[in-house]
Amino acid sequence: MKIIKTKRELQQFALEIKRSGKTIGFVPTMGYLHAGHMSLIDIARAKADVLFVSIFVNPTQFGPNEDLDLYPRDFERDLAMCTEHKVDVIFAPEPQEMYCSDNTTWVEEKKLSGPLCGASRPCFYRGVTTVVAKLFHLVMPDFAVFGWKDAQQLLVIKRMVRDLDFPIEIIGAPLVRDTDGLALSSRNRYLSDDERTRALAIHRNLLTARKTVEEKGLAALEGALEEARQGITASGGRIDYVTALDVDTMEEAVSGSAGLLIAAAVFYGTTRLIDNEVIEFSK
Ligand code: AMP
């Protein structure tokens, strides 16, 4: 497995691979890898001739009072997991390598990134789209895999790729959970045992809301969401949002919507967790 730290070396290596006619698959991550990341890597591995994974805790997607400095890191462990899953190239730049100190150019998606995490974390999606666009220019992948765990992020990236004509296929991978239902996340590491047990309420309540809407339709949505909010609050969670939107437009779901994203962001202690359920409506 090749480990690359500079943009120049990465771009040159990617170009060589492209010129040899091989396909490039790409999985961008912030490291501290877990089985959720590895499921994306396995999907990409099965499809690509050469598989690139980036490990970069992107400073531009963190707000001033967020957990950039505390974000968990374990590069050696990440490397071992990537070796085991047959990754070919790791790109792990330092922030000063990734961004010029006087960087003034940003990529911004203006609609799908508005609600949910975009509303609570104003600079977040601008940081995500900018770093992903930069990574796409460096890696030049044929396809890239993103998790449904970050459903809004997946939609925003798909929109960016469409609007800016990146010749890249974006593949959505299913959300991976622990055996008890907690969505896997690098941030679970911050949770105390007690908080982790309480946090199971997120998935439990989203599932109940999902079942209610599946059985009774959209008319039951507001009641189901309110019940979920009450259940999550009772578990000790501090709700950022528990809400539902049309999964394509990020607007209010209506009877013609193709699908519903039921999404939650909840704090347990100081740790902010996100989770979601997606219902596809049959036409
Ligand atoms: P992160 O390192 O948190 O930025 O995540 C990198 C990629 O892994 C993103 O596309 C995430 O959506 C995806 N991912 C993280 N956790 C999970 C999970 N539990 N299931 C599926 N994909 C995940």
Side-chain angles (χ1 to χ4, degrees), residues 186-240:
S186 306
R187 289 190 168 97
N188 292 350
R189 146 89 204 250
Y190 302 139
L191 298 169
S192 67
D193 289 348
D194 178 53
E195 286 166 346
R196 199 189 173 292
T197 306
R198 291 169 182 274
L200 298 176
I202 305 176
H203 178 52
R204 213 171 42 236
N205 282 280
L206 291 188
L207 259 189
T208 307
R210 176 197 182 114
K211 282 186 189 136
T212 304
V213 175
E214 279 174 338
E215 282 164 17
K216 300 184 180 157
L218 276 180
L221 178 60
E222 264 321 308
L225 290 174
E226 195 41 47
E227 214 171 294
R229 288 182 196 115
Q230 283 171 17
I232 290 170
T233 304
S235 75
R238 182 165 61 79
I239 291 175
D240 178 354

Short mmCIF file of all heavy atoms in Angstrom, two decimals, residues 186-240:
data_model
loop_
_atom_site.label_atom_id
_atom_site.label_comp_id
_atom_site.label_asym_id
_atom_site.label_seq_id
_atom_site.Cartn_x
_atom_site.Cartn_y
_atom_site.Cartn_z
N SER A 186 -17.12 7.70 14.09
CA SER A 186 -15.86 7.94 14.81
C SER A 186 -16.14 8.67 16.11
O SER A 186 -15.43 8.50 17.11
CB SER A 186 -14.91 8.78 13.95
OG SER A 186 -14.73 8.16 12.69
N ARG A 187 -17.19 9.49 16.13
CA ARG A 187 -17.50 10.28 17.34
C ARG A 187 -18.08 9.44 18.48
O ARG A 187 -18.14 9.93 19.62
CB ARG A 187 -18.45 11.43 17.00
CG ARG A 187 -17.79 12.53 16.18
CD ARG A 187 -18.67 13.77 16.07
NE ARG A 187 -17.94 14.90 15.53
CZ ARG A 187 -17.94 15.29 14.25
NH1 ARG A 187 -18.64 14.63 13.36
NH2 ARG A 187 -17.24 16.35 13.87
N ASN A 188 -18.51 8.19 18.21
CA ASN A 188 -19.01 7.34 19.31
C ASN A 188 -17.93 7.15 20.36
O ASN A 188 -18.23 6.88 21.53
CB ASN A 188 -19.44 5.97 18.78
CG ASN A 188 -20.67 6.06 17.89
OD1 ASN A 188 -21.30 7.11 17.82
ND2 ASN A 188 -21.01 4.98 17.22
N ARG A 189 -16.71 7.29 19.95
CA ARG A 189 -15.56 7.15 20.84
C ARG A 189 -15.62 8.12 22.04
O ARG A 189 -15.11 7.86 23.11
CB ARG A 189 -14.31 7.36 19.97
CG ARG A 189 -13.13 8.02 20.56
CD ARG A 189 -12.28 6.94 21.16
NE ARG A 189 -11.44 7.47 22.20
CZ ARG A 189 -10.13 7.59 22.11
NH1 ARG A 189 -9.52 7.24 21.02
NH2 ARG A 189 -9.45 8.04 23.13
N TYR A 190 -16.27 9.29 21.84
CA TYR A 190 -16.38 10.29 22.92
C TYR A 190 -17.38 9.88 24.00
O TYR A 190 -17.40 10.47 25.07
CB TYR A 190 -16.89 11.63 22.39
CG TYR A 190 -16.13 12.31 21.31
CD1 TYR A 190 -16.82 12.92 20.26
CD2 TYR A 190 -14.75 12.41 21.33
CE1 TYR A 190 -16.16 13.61 19.26
CE2 TYR A 190 -14.08 13.09 20.32
CZ TYR A 190 -14.79 13.69 19.29
OH TYR A 190 -14.14 14.36 18.31
N LEU A 191 -18.29 8.94 23.67
CA LEU A 191 -19.42 8.66 24.58
C LEU A 191 -18.98 7.85 25.79
O LEU A 191 -18.22 6.89 25.66
CB LEU A 191 -20.50 7.87 23.83
CG LEU A 191 -21.17 8.56 22.64
CD1 LEU A 191 -22.01 7.55 21.85
CD2 LEU A 191 -22.03 9.73 23.10
N SER A 192 -19.48 8.22 26.97
CA SER A 192 -19.31 7.36 28.15
C SER A 192 -20.23 6.14 27.96
O SER A 192 -21.12 6.16 27.10
CB SER A 192 -19.70 8.11 29.42
OG SER A 192 -21.09 8.35 29.40
N ASP A 193 -20.03 5.10 28.77
CA ASP A 193 -20.89 3.91 28.65
C ASP A 193 -22.36 4.29 28.82
O ASP A 193 -23.24 3.81 28.09
CB ASP A 193 -20.51 2.86 29.70
CG ASP A 193 -19.16 2.22 29.36
OD1 ASP A 193 -18.68 2.43 28.22
OD2 ASP A 193 -18.59 1.55 30.25
N ASP A 194 -22.60 5.16 29.81
CA ASP A 194 -23.97 5.58 30.09
C ASP A 194 -24.55 6.36 28.90
O ASP A 194 -25.68 6.09 28.47
CB ASP A 194 -23.97 6.45 31.35
CG ASP A 194 -25.35 6.96 31.67
OD1 ASP A 194 -26.28 6.14 31.76
OD2 ASP A 194 -25.51 8.20 31.79
N GLU A 195 -23.78 7.28 28.36
CA GLU A 195 -24.27 8.06 27.21
C GLU A 195 -24.53 7.15 26.01
O GLU A 195 -25.52 7.32 25.28
CB GLU A 195 -23.25 9.13 26.82
CG GLU A 195 -23.20 10.30 27.79
CD GLU A 195 -21.97 11.17 27.60
OE1 GLU A 195 -21.01 10.76 26.90
OE2 GLU A 195 -21.94 12.27 28.17
N ARG A 196 -23.65 6.17 25.83
CA ARG A 196 -23.81 5.27 24.69
C ARG A 196 -25.12 4.49 24.79
O ARG A 196 -25.83 4.30 23.80
CB ARG A 196 -22.62 4.30 24.62
CG ARG A 196 -22.48 3.68 23.25
CD ARG A 196 -21.45 2.57 23.23
NE ARG A 196 -21.49 1.91 21.93
CZ ARG A 196 -22.51 1.18 21.49
NH1 ARG A 196 -23.56 0.98 22.26
NH2 ARG A 196 -22.48 0.64 20.29
N THR A 197 -25.42 4.03 26.01
CA THR A 197 -26.68 3.29 26.22
C THR A 197 -27.88 4.20 25.95
O THR A 197 -28.84 3.81 25.28
CB THR A 197 -26.74 2.77 27.68
OG1 THR A 197 -25.55 2.02 27.91
CG2 THR A 197 -27.95 1.90 27.92
N ARG A 198 -27.79 5.44 26.47
CA ARG A 198 -28.90 6.38 26.25
C ARG A 198 -29.09 6.70 24.77
O ARG A 198 -30.21 6.86 24.28
CB ARG A 198 -28.63 7.68 27.01
CG ARG A 198 -28.70 7.52 28.52
CD ARG A 198 -28.15 8.76 29.21
NE ARG A 198 -28.18 8.61 30.64
CZ ARG A 198 -29.24 8.89 31.40
NH1 ARG A 198 -30.33 9.35 30.85
NH2 ARG A 198 -29.20 8.72 32.71
N ALA A 199 -27.95 6.77 24.06
CA ALA A 199 -27.99 7.18 22.64
C ALA A 199 -28.70 6.15 21.75
O ALA A 199 -29.08 6.47 20.62
CB ALA A 199 -26.57 7.41 22.13
N LEU A 200 -28.90 4.94 22.27
CA LEU A 200 -29.65 3.94 21.48
C LEU A 200 -31.07 4.41 21.20
O LEU A 200 -31.73 3.94 20.29
CB LEU A 200 -29.68 2.60 22.23
CG LEU A 200 -28.32 1.94 22.47
CD1 LEU A 200 -28.48 0.67 23.29
CD2 LEU A 200 -27.66 1.62 21.13
N ALA A 201 -31.51 5.40 22.02
CA ALA A 201 -32.87 5.94 21.83
C ALA A 201 -33.03 6.59 20.46
O ALA A 201 -34.15 6.66 19.94
CB ALA A 201 -33.18 6.96 22.94
N ILE A 202 -31.95 7.07 19.87
CA ILE A 202 -32.09 7.76 18.57
C ILE A 202 -32.64 6.77 17.55
O ILE A 202 -33.69 6.99 16.94
CB ILE A 202 -30.74 8.32 18.07
CG1 ILE A 202 -30.07 9.24 19.09
CG2 ILE A 202 -30.95 9.07 16.75
CD1 ILE A 202 -28.68 9.72 18.66
N HIS A 203 -31.93 5.67 17.36
CA HIS A 203 -32.34 4.69 16.34
C HIS A 203 -33.71 4.10 16.67
O HIS A 203 -34.58 3.96 15.80
CB HIS A 203 -31.29 3.58 16.25
CG HIS A 203 -31.64 2.51 15.27
ND1 HIS A 203 -32.00 2.76 13.96
CD2 HIS A 203 -31.70 1.16 15.40
CE1 HIS A 203 -32.26 1.63 13.34
NE2 HIS A 203 -32.10 0.65 14.19
N ARG A 204 -33.89 3.78 17.97
CA ARG A 204 -35.16 3.18 18.39
C ARG A 204 -36.33 4.08 18.00
O ARG A 204 -37.32 3.65 17.42
CB ARG A 204 -35.12 2.98 19.91
CG ARG A 204 -35.86 1.79 20.40
CD ARG A 204 -35.64 1.50 21.87
NE ARG A 204 -35.64 2.67 22.74
CZ ARG A 204 -34.63 2.99 23.55
NH1 ARG A 204 -33.55 2.24 23.59
NH2 ARG A 204 -34.72 4.05 24.32
N ASN A 205 -36.20 5.36 18.30
CA ASN A 205 -37.30 6.29 18.04
C ASN A 205 -37.47 6.62 16.56
O ASN A 205 -38.59 6.80 16.09
CB ASN A 205 -37.12 7.57 18.87
CG ASN A 205 -37.53 7.35 20.32
OD1 ASN A 205 -38.71 7.38 20.64
ND2 ASN A 205 -36.56 7.07 21.17
N LEU A 206 -36.36 6.67 15.83
CA LEU A 206 -36.49 6.90 14.38
C LEU A 206 -37.18 5.72 13.72
O LEU A 206 -37.99 5.88 12.80
CB LEU A 206 -35.12 7.14 13.73
CG LEU A 206 -34.40 8.44 14.08
CD1 LEU A 206 -33.16 8.60 13.19
CD2 LEU A 206 -35.28 9.66 13.93
N LEU A 207 -36.86 4.51 14.20
CA LEU A 207 -37.50 3.31 13.64
C LEU A 207 -39.00 3.31 13.89
O LEU A 207 -39.78 2.97 13.01
CB LEU A 207 -36.89 2.06 14.29
CG LEU A 207 -35.85 1.27 13.52
CD1 LEU A 207 -35.56 -0.03 14.26
CD2 LEU A 207 -36.33 0.97 12.10
N THR A 208 -39.38 3.70 15.12
CA THR A 208 -40.81 3.76 15.44
C THR A 208 -41.50 4.77 14.53
O THR A 208 -42.58 4.50 13.99
CB THR A 208 -41.01 4.15 16.92
OG1 THR A 208 -40.25 3.25 17.72
CG2 THR A 208 -42.47 4.08 17.33
N ALA A 209 -40.86 5.93 14.35
CA ALA A 209 -41.46 6.96 13.49
C ALA A 209 -41.60 6.41 12.06
O ALA A 209 -42.61 6.61 11.39
CB ALA A 209 -40.59 8.21 13.50
N ARG A 210 -40.56 5.72 11.62
CA ARG A 210 -40.60 5.14 10.27
C ARG A 210 -41.79 4.19 10.11
O ARG A 210 -42.54 4.28 9.14
CB ARG A 210 -39.28 4.38 10.04
CG ARG A 210 -39.23 3.68 8.74
CD ARG A 210 -38.15 2.63 8.65
NE ARG A 210 -38.22 2.08 7.32
CZ ARG A 210 -37.29 2.21 6.39
NH1 ARG A 210 -36.14 2.77 6.67
NH2 ARG A 210 -37.47 1.74 5.19
N LYS A 211 -41.94 3.30 11.12
CA LYS A 211 -43.03 2.32 11.03
C LYS A 211 -44.38 3.02 11.00
O LYS A 211 -45.28 2.63 10.24
CB LYS A 211 -42.96 1.35 12.21
CG LYS A 211 -41.89 0.31 11.99
CD LYS A 211 -41.89 -0.76 13.08
CE LYS A 211 -40.65 -1.63 12.92
NZ LYS A 211 -39.96 -1.92 14.18
N THR A 212 -44.54 4.05 11.83
CA THR A 212 -45.81 4.78 11.87
C THR A 212 -46.13 5.36 10.49
O THR A 212 -47.25 5.24 9.99
CB THR A 212 -45.74 5.92 12.91
OG1 THR A 212 -45.38 5.34 14.16
CG2 THR A 212 -47.06 6.65 13.03
N VAL A 213 -45.13 6.00 9.87
CA VAL A 213 -45.37 6.62 8.56
C VAL A 213 -45.62 5.55 7.50
O VAL A 213 -46.47 5.71 6.62
CB VAL A 213 -44.19 7.54 8.15
CG1 VAL A 213 -44.38 8.08 6.75
CG2 VAL A 213 -44.04 8.68 9.16
N GLU A 214 -44.90 4.43 7.60
CA GLU A 214 -45.13 3.35 6.63
C GLU A 214 -46.56 2.81 6.73
O GLU A 214 -47.18 2.48 5.73
CB GLU A 214 -44.11 2.23 6.83
CG GLU A 214 -42.78 2.56 6.18
CD GLU A 214 -41.69 1.54 6.47
OE1 GLU A 214 -41.79 0.80 7.47
OE2 GLU A 214 -40.72 1.49 5.70
N GLU A 215 -47.05 2.74 7.98
CA GLU A 215 -48.40 2.19 8.17
C GLU A 215 -49.49 3.21 7.86
O GLU A 215 -50.51 2.89 7.27
CB GLU A 215 -48.57 1.70 9.62
CG GLU A 215 -47.90 0.35 9.85
CD GLU A 215 -47.73 0.05 11.33
OE1 GLU A 215 -48.40 0.70 12.16
OE2 GLU A 215 -46.91 -0.84 11.66
N LYS A 216 -49.26 4.47 8.31
CA LYS A 216 -50.37 5.43 8.27
C LYS A 216 -50.19 6.55 7.26
O LYS A 216 -51.07 7.38 7.09
CB LYS A 216 -50.55 6.04 9.67
CG LYS A 216 -50.86 4.98 10.73
CD LYS A 216 -51.13 5.62 12.06
CE LYS A 216 -51.45 4.55 13.10
NZ LYS A 216 -51.19 4.99 14.45
N GLY A 217 -49.05 6.61 6.62
CA GLY A 217 -48.84 7.64 5.60
C GLY A 217 -48.33 8.96 6.16
O GLY A 217 -48.17 9.12 7.37
N LEU A 218 -48.14 9.91 5.25
CA LEU A 218 -47.54 11.19 5.61
C LEU A 218 -48.38 12.00 6.59
O LEU A 218 -47.85 12.84 7.33
CB LEU A 218 -47.31 12.03 4.35
CG LEU A 218 -46.02 11.76 3.57
CD1 LEU A 218 -45.94 12.67 2.35
CD2 LEU A 218 -44.80 11.97 4.47
N ALA A 219 -49.69 11.73 6.61
CA ALA A 219 -50.57 12.45 7.53
C ALA A 219 -50.15 12.22 8.98
O ALA A 219 -50.39 13.06 9.85
CB ALA A 219 -52.01 12.00 7.32
N ALA A 220 -49.50 11.09 9.23
CA ALA A 220 -49.11 10.75 10.60
C ALA A 220 -47.69 11.25 10.94
O ALA A 220 -47.19 11.04 12.05
CB ALA A 220 -49.17 9.23 10.80
N LEU A 221 -47.07 11.94 9.98
CA LEU A 221 -45.64 12.28 10.14
C LEU A 221 -45.38 13.20 11.34
O LEU A 221 -44.52 12.90 12.17
CB LEU A 221 -45.10 12.90 8.85
CG LEU A 221 -43.64 13.35 8.90
CD1 LEU A 221 -42.71 12.17 9.19
CD2 LEU A 221 -43.22 14.01 7.58
N GLU A 222 -46.12 14.30 11.42
CA GLU A 222 -45.82 15.27 12.49
C GLU A 222 -45.96 14.64 13.87
O GLU A 222 -45.12 14.84 14.74
CB GLU A 222 -46.69 16.53 12.36
CG GLU A 222 -46.00 17.67 11.63
CD GLU A 222 -44.50 17.84 11.97
OE1 GLU A 222 -44.15 17.91 13.17
OE2 GLU A 222 -43.68 17.87 11.04
N GLY A 223 -47.02 13.86 14.05
CA GLY A 223 -47.24 13.18 15.33
C GLY A 223 -46.10 12.20 15.63
O GLY A 223 -45.60 12.13 16.76
N ALA A 224 -45.69 11.48 14.59
CA ALA A 224 -44.62 10.49 14.77
C ALA A 224 -43.30 11.18 15.14
O ALA A 224 -42.55 10.70 16.00
CB ALA A 224 -44.44 9.69 13.48
N LEU A 225 -43.04 12.32 14.51
CA LEU A 225 -41.79 13.05 14.83
C LEU A 225 -41.84 13.59 16.26
O LEU A 225 -40.84 13.55 16.98
CB LEU A 225 -41.60 14.21 13.85
CG LEU A 225 -41.24 13.83 12.41
CD1 LEU A 225 -41.22 15.07 11.52
CD2 LEU A 225 -39.89 13.10 12.36
N GLU A 226 -43.01 14.08 16.65
CA GLU A 226 -43.13 14.64 18.01
C GLU A 226 -42.92 13.54 19.05
O GLU A 226 -42.23 13.74 20.05
CB GLU A 226 -44.52 15.30 18.16
CG GLU A 226 -44.65 16.22 19.35
CD GLU A 226 -43.42 17.10 19.60
OE1 GLU A 226 -42.90 17.73 18.64
OE2 GLU A 226 -42.95 17.14 20.75
N GLU A 227 -43.45 12.38 18.76
CA GLU A 227 -43.26 11.24 19.67
C GLU A 227 -41.77 10.86 19.75
O GLU A 227 -41.23 10.59 20.82
CB GLU A 227 -44.07 10.05 19.14
CG GLU A 227 -44.62 9.17 20.24
CD GLU A 227 -45.58 8.15 19.65
OE1 GLU A 227 -46.65 8.55 19.13
OE2 GLU A 227 -45.22 6.97 19.68
N ALA A 228 -41.11 10.88 18.59
CA ALA A 228 -39.68 10.55 18.56
C ALA A 228 -38.89 11.58 19.38
O ALA A 228 -37.99 11.23 20.14
CB ALA A 228 -39.17 10.52 17.11
N ARG A 229 -39.25 12.86 19.22
CA ARG A 229 -38.55 13.91 19.99
C ARG A 229 -38.72 13.68 21.48
O ARG A 229 -37.76 13.78 22.25
CB ARG A 229 -39.11 15.30 19.62
CG ARG A 229 -38.71 15.75 18.24
CD ARG A 229 -39.25 17.16 17.93
NE ARG A 229 -39.17 17.39 16.50
CZ ARG A 229 -40.20 17.56 15.66
NH1 ARG A 229 -41.45 17.59 16.14
NH2 ARG A 229 -40.02 17.73 14.38
N GLN A 230 -39.94 13.32 21.87
CA GLN A 230 -40.19 13.08 23.31
C GLN A 230 -39.38 11.90 23.81
O GLN A 230 -38.78 11.94 24.88
CB GLN A 230 -41.68 12.86 23.55
CG GLN A 230 -42.46 14.17 23.52
CD GLN A 230 -43.96 13.95 23.56
OE1 GLN A 230 -44.42 12.86 23.91
NE2 GLN A 230 -44.72 14.97 23.19
N GLY A 231 -39.35 10.83 23.02
CA GLY A 231 -38.60 9.63 23.42
C GLY A 231 -37.12 9.91 23.56
O GLY A 231 -36.46 9.46 24.51
N ILE A 232 -36.59 10.68 22.63
CA ILE A 232 -35.14 10.97 22.63
C ILE A 232 -34.81 11.92 23.79
O ILE A 232 -33.82 11.73 24.51
CB ILE A 232 -34.71 11.55 21.26
CG1 ILE A 232 -34.78 10.43 20.21
CG2 ILE A 232 -33.31 12.14 21.33
CD1 ILE A 232 -34.62 10.88 18.77
N THR A 233 -35.68 12.90 24.01
CA THR A 233 -35.45 13.82 25.14
C THR A 233 -35.51 13.05 26.46
O THR A 233 -34.68 13.28 27.35
CB THR A 233 -36.52 14.95 25.13
OG1 THR A 233 -36.46 15.59 23.87
CG2 THR A 233 -36.25 15.96 26.23
N ALA A 234 -36.45 12.11 26.56
CA ALA A 234 -36.58 11.32 27.80
C ALA A 234 -35.32 10.49 28.07
O ALA A 234 -35.01 10.17 29.22
CB ALA A 234 -37.80 10.41 27.71
N SER A 235 -34.58 10.16 27.01
CA SER A 235 -33.35 9.36 27.20
C SER A 235 -32.18 10.24 27.66
O SER A 235 -31.08 9.72 27.88
CB SER A 235 -32.97 8.68 25.88
OG SER A 235 -32.40 9.62 24.98
N GLY A 236 -32.41 11.54 27.73
CA GLY A 236 -31.32 12.44 28.13
C GLY A 236 -30.63 13.10 26.96
O GLY A 236 -29.64 13.82 27.14
N GLY A 237 -31.14 12.89 25.75
CA GLY A 237 -30.54 13.53 24.57
C GLY A 237 -31.01 14.97 24.44
O GLY A 237 -32.16 15.29 24.72
N ARG A 238 -30.09 15.85 24.03
CA ARG A 238 -30.46 17.25 23.73
C ARG A 238 -30.57 17.38 22.22
O ARG A 238 -29.59 17.20 21.50
CB ARG A 238 -29.39 18.20 24.30
CG ARG A 238 -29.70 19.67 24.09
CD ARG A 238 -28.80 20.54 24.97
NE ARG A 238 -27.39 20.38 24.67
CZ ARG A 238 -26.74 20.95 23.65
NH1 ARG A 238 -27.40 21.74 22.81
NH2 ARG A 238 -25.45 20.76 23.47
N ILE A 239 -31.81 17.64 21.78
CA ILE A 239 -32.08 17.56 20.34
C ILE A 239 -31.61 18.80 19.59
O ILE A 239 -31.91 19.92 19.99
CB ILE A 239 -33.60 17.35 20.11
CG1 ILE A 239 -33.98 15.94 20.59
CG2 ILE A 239 -33.97 17.54 18.65
CD1 ILE A 239 -35.45 15.64 20.53
N ASP A 240 -30.84 18.57 18.53
CA ASP A 240 -30.54 19.65 17.58
C ASP A 240 -31.69 19.67 16.57
O ASP A 240 -32.37 20.66 16.41
CB ASP A 240 -29.17 19.38 16.93
CG ASP A 240 -28.81 20.42 15.89
OD1 ASP A 240 -29.64 21.29 15.58
OD2 ASP A 240 -27.68 20.36 15.36
#
